[in-house]
Amino acid sequence: MARGRRRGAEALIGRIEAAEALDPPGYAISNALARPAQIIGRPARRLGNALHGTGYGHPVHPMLVTLPIGSWTLALGLDLLAALGLVRDRRAAEAADTALRAGALGAVAAAATGMADWQYTDGRDRRLGLVHALANGTALGLNLLSLALRGRGRRGQGRLASAAAFGCMAAGGYLGGHLVYRRRVGVDHADRSPEPREWQAVLPLSDLAEDRPRRVEVADADTRQAIGIALVLHGGRVHAMGARCSHAGGPLDQGWVLEGRLVCPWHGSRYCLETGRPTDGPSTTPQPRYAVRIRDGMVELRREQEPGDAVVTAARAARAAGPQGGPRGRKADEVLVEHHTLLRRMFARILAIPRENPERRDLMRALAEELEIHETIEDRLFYPAVQPVSEDVAVAHAEHRQLADLLAMTLKLNTASPEFEDHLRALQAAVDHHAGSEERSMFVEAQRLGEPRLREIGHALEALLEEARASRARHAFRALKIRLLEGA
Ligand code: FES
C-alpha cells in the first residue's frame, strides 16, 4: 500500500518535471523578479545575498520553512482538540489564531528566500520548484482566508480552511524534499577531495595568463576520479580553488575575473580568490581551497584542509608512528588476520552442519560472541591507533553497524529454516567484505605506523582478546545480549 502511494507520488512528480507548459510562466516570473534587481543594482544584490544566505554559509530557506510548518501544525493541533471538545478554553482558540498569524509571517519570509533560490534553477527543477511554490502559496492563502473567517466568528469554516492549508503545505513540503534530496538543489556541488595531500606540480607558471582561469586536474586514488582545480593568475599571484562551483556544479575554470573575484559562468556567483568564499550569490558555500607555491617555474598545489577534516598527511602519520614504550608482541594486522580466519572458518562449519542439527544454534551463538569480540577489539584499540594513517576507519565503523544489524536479524531465525541459511550467507558475505577490505587497504596503510608500533598494538589486542574470552562476567553479558537478540 505504502509502496503504491510512493510510486503514485513519483509518477506525479515525473509528470510535473516533464511539463514544459510550466516553462513560459516560470521564465516570465523569473524575469519579472530579476528586472527590479537589475535596475536597483548593488543594494538589490546585497538583499539577494541575504535571501540566499551567501554570507551565512548555508541557504536560509530551509531554516525559515520551519516557522510556518511548526506554527501551522500547532494551530491544527489546537483546532483538532477544540473540534473534538477536548479543550473549550477561549485562550486555546486565540492561541490557534496567533499560531496561524506567526506561521503566515514565517511563510512570507520563507517564500522570499525560496523565490530568490528558485530563480537560479532550470529545466525540471524549475518546473517542480514552481509547483512547490504554488502549493505553499495556496497554503498561505488558505490560512489568511481562515484568519478572516475566524475574525468574523465563522470559526468552523476557518478550521476547515486551515486543515486544507495543512494538506497543501504537506504536499509542498514533499516536493521541497524531492528537490533537495533527490535533485540536489541547494546542496554543495563542489568536489571535496583531500587530494593532493602533499605538494604536487601541476603546470608551468608560464602557461598562465593574467586573469585567465585555467583548469588542471589531480587524481583521487580512493574515488578513482580526476579532481578539477581552477588556477587564476591575478596581480602576479597564483590562486587555486575547486573548479566545480559549489552552487550547482558550474565550471569555474570557464568563468572570468571581475573586481578581483572569480565569477561562475552559470549563475554569476563570485568567489574571493584569496579565501574561496562566495561574495555574491546565489552560492552560499565556500569553494575548496589549495595552497600554491612556485618551484623551478612550476605551479605546485596542496589541498588546504577545512575545519573538521581529518585526512592523512605525512606529518600526521609521522606523529602517530614509532614505538611508544609499551610491550611488544605479534603485529596488529597479523593478530586481526588470524581472527578473520577464525570467523571465516566458523561460518563454514555452521553451513556444513545439517539444518535440523541443534548444534547449529550453539555454533551460531559462538560466532555471535566472536563477532562481538572482534568489533570490541577493533573499535577500542585498532581503529583509534590507525586513524592518523588510514581514512578507511569511518567506513569500517559503518560496516560494523551493518554486521551488527545482520547478526541481530539472523539470530532471531530458526536455524533449521531456509531464511536462516539465506541470512547466514548474507552475514558471511558482509564479514568477508569487511575483513577483505581491511586486509587489502587498512592493514597496508597501517604499516606506516612502523613495525615497533604495530607490535605494541598487537600485544594490546592479544591481551584484550584474552581478557574478553576469559572473563566470566563479559561472557555472561554477551550471552545475555545474544539471548535478547534471539528474542528468548
Ligand atoms: S553553478 Fe550556479 S553560480 Fe555556479
Side-chain angles (χ1 to χ4, degrees):
M1 183 73 175
R3 194 180 298 168
R5 264 203 305 270
R6 200 178 65 221
R7 280 212 199 107
E10 288 190 355
L12 180 63
I13 286 175
R15 277 206 287 277
I16 296 170
E17 287 176 332
E20 290 174 8
L22 292 172
D23 288 347
Y27 283 102
I29 295 170
S30 177
N31 290 339
L33 288 171
R35 205 122 308 138
Q38 288 157 356
I39 294 166
I40 296 166
R42 187 72 208 164
R45 224 162 64 204
R46 280 202 205 102
L47 175 65
N49 287 340
L51 294 174
H52 294 303
T54 299
Y56 173 63
H58 298 279
V60 179
H61 181 64
M63 275 195 321
L64 291 180
V65 297
T66 59
L67 296 174
I69 292 173
S71 303
W72 290 347
T73 305
L74 174 65
L76 182 78
L78 289 168
D79 281 351
L80 262 177
L81 290 175
L84 293 171
L86 296 173
V87 287
R88 297 183 191 284
D89 194 331
R90 216 184 114 62
R91 280 175 300 180
E94 286 168 6
D97 295 356
T98 305
L100 279 184
R101 279 188 212 103
L105 282 178
V108 171
T113 54
M115 293 298 263
D117 292 344
W118 170 80
Q119 289 179 68
Y120 296 98
T121 57
D122 284 290
R124 59 200 287 190
D125 299 337
R126 173 175 283 254
R127 295 169 198 146
L128 197 61
L130 186 63
V131 178
H132 163 73
L134 272 175
N136 288 326
T138 307
L140 174 60
L142 283 167
N143 272 326
L144 291 176
L145 173 69
S146 168
L147 277 167
L149 290 167
R150 289 166 198 242
R152 286 185 195 139
R154 292 151 70 181
R155 187 157 289 276
Q157 289 173 347
R159 284 182 188 143
L160 280 178
S162 295
F166 192 84
C168 291
M169 180 185 73
Y174 187 86
L175 300 183
H178 186 93
L179 279 167
V180 175
Y181 298 110
R182 295 282 284 274
R183 298 293 310 149
R184 305 188 65 224
V185 172
V187 303
D188 180 9
H189 285 258
D191 287 327
R192 300 209 178 262
S193 161
E195 302 293 351
R197 291 171 165 81
E198 313 299 341
W199 289 108
Q200 185 175 326
V202 290
L203 193 79
L205 178 59
S206 55
D207 284 7
L208 287 176
E210 181 79 7
D211 285 349
R212 302 291 293 273
R214 172 88 190 250
R215 179 186 172 95
V216 293
E217 289 182 353
V218 295
D220 185 323
D222 284 344
T223 59
R224 296 194 179 91
Q225 280 180 345
I227 306 301
I229 299 168
L231 293 183
V232 180
L233 178 64
H234 177 73
R237 275 187 62 202
V238 180
H239 304 271
M241 66 177 75
R244 202 171 140 77
C245 178
S246 61
H247 173 241
L252 289 181
D253 52 289
Q254 293 173 31
W256 49 88
V257 176
L258 181 65
E259 298 171 342
R261 310 276 190 259
L262 181 56
V263 184
C264 177
W266 281 7
H267 307 114
S269 288
R270 298 184 189 188
Y271 293 95
C272 172
L273 290 170
E274 297 283 345
T275 63
R277 294 188 173 281
T279 57
D280 281 300
S283 177
T284 59
T285 311
Q287 287 298 112
R289 289 278 306 138
Y290 299 84
V292 180
R293 71 180 187 187
I294 310 298
R295 288 283 187 278
D296 300 326
M298 293 293 292
V299 178
E300 293 187 357
L301 300 180
R302 189 175 66 185
R303 175 81 156 92
E304 275 185 0
Q305 302 306 324
E306 295 171 4
D309 279 351
V311 300
V312 174
T313 59
R316 191 159 179 242
R319 279 198 298 277
Q324 295 183 3
R328 299 182 196 172
R330 288 187 299 152
K331 283 168 66 187
D333 48 311
E334 291 168 0
V335 175
L336 291 172
V337 167
E338 185 178 271
H339 204 241
H340 288 167
T341 307
L342 171 74
L343 292 171
R344 286 173 170 132
R345 284 204 188 114
M346 292 180 91
F347 276 105
R349 265 191 79 191
I350 301 172
L351 287 165
I353 292 175
R355 279 188 184 172
E356 304 301 334
N357 189 333
E359 202 191 330
R360 264 193 161 195
R361 175 59 69 191
D362 297 336
L363 279 174
M364 188 61 217
R365 287 175 182 157
L367 172 66
E369 282 218 38
E370 284 301 327
L371 280 170
E372 169 99 19
I373 291 171
H374 190 76
E375 187 179 324
T376 303
I377 63 172
E378 286 194 329
D379 282 355
R380 279 179 47 188
L381 272 176
F382 187 64
Y383 292 165
V386 296
Q387 185 124 21
V389 295
S390 173
E391 285 165 26
D392 293 344
V393 172
V395 174
H397 277 299
E399 288 175 355
H400 274 181
R401 170 64 198 267
Q402 155 97 321
L403 293 179
D405 289 347
L406 265 172
L407 177 67
M409 282 187 252
T410 311
L411 282 169
K412 286 185 179 33
L413 299 168
N414 180 345
T415 52
S417 67
E419 290 82 17
F420 172 80
E421 196 134 331
D422 277 354
H423 279 73
L424 187 66
R425 286 188 194 282
L427 182 60
Q428 182 186 31
V431 168
D432 211 41
H433 165 79
H434 174 69
S437 54
E438 284 187 342
E439 289 161 14
R440 282 189 303 277
S441 177
M442 189 189 286
F443 294 175
V444 176
E445 291 166 337
Q447 304 309 312
R448 296 175 77 179
L449 291 172
E451 187 172 331
R453 177 76 184 121
L454 282 173
R455 290 194 183 282
E456 283 176 356
I457 303 165
H459 177 84
L461 283 172
E462 287 191 303
L464 194 57
L465 254 177
E466 201 177 309
E467 186 205 331
R469 286 179 181 144
S471 164
R472 283 194 188 167
R474 288 183 194 281
H475 171 71
F477 181 71
R478 285 194 300 271
L480 177 66
K481 191 172 156 189
I482 289 167
R483 293 300 166 101
L484 281 173
L485 290 173
E486 286 175 340

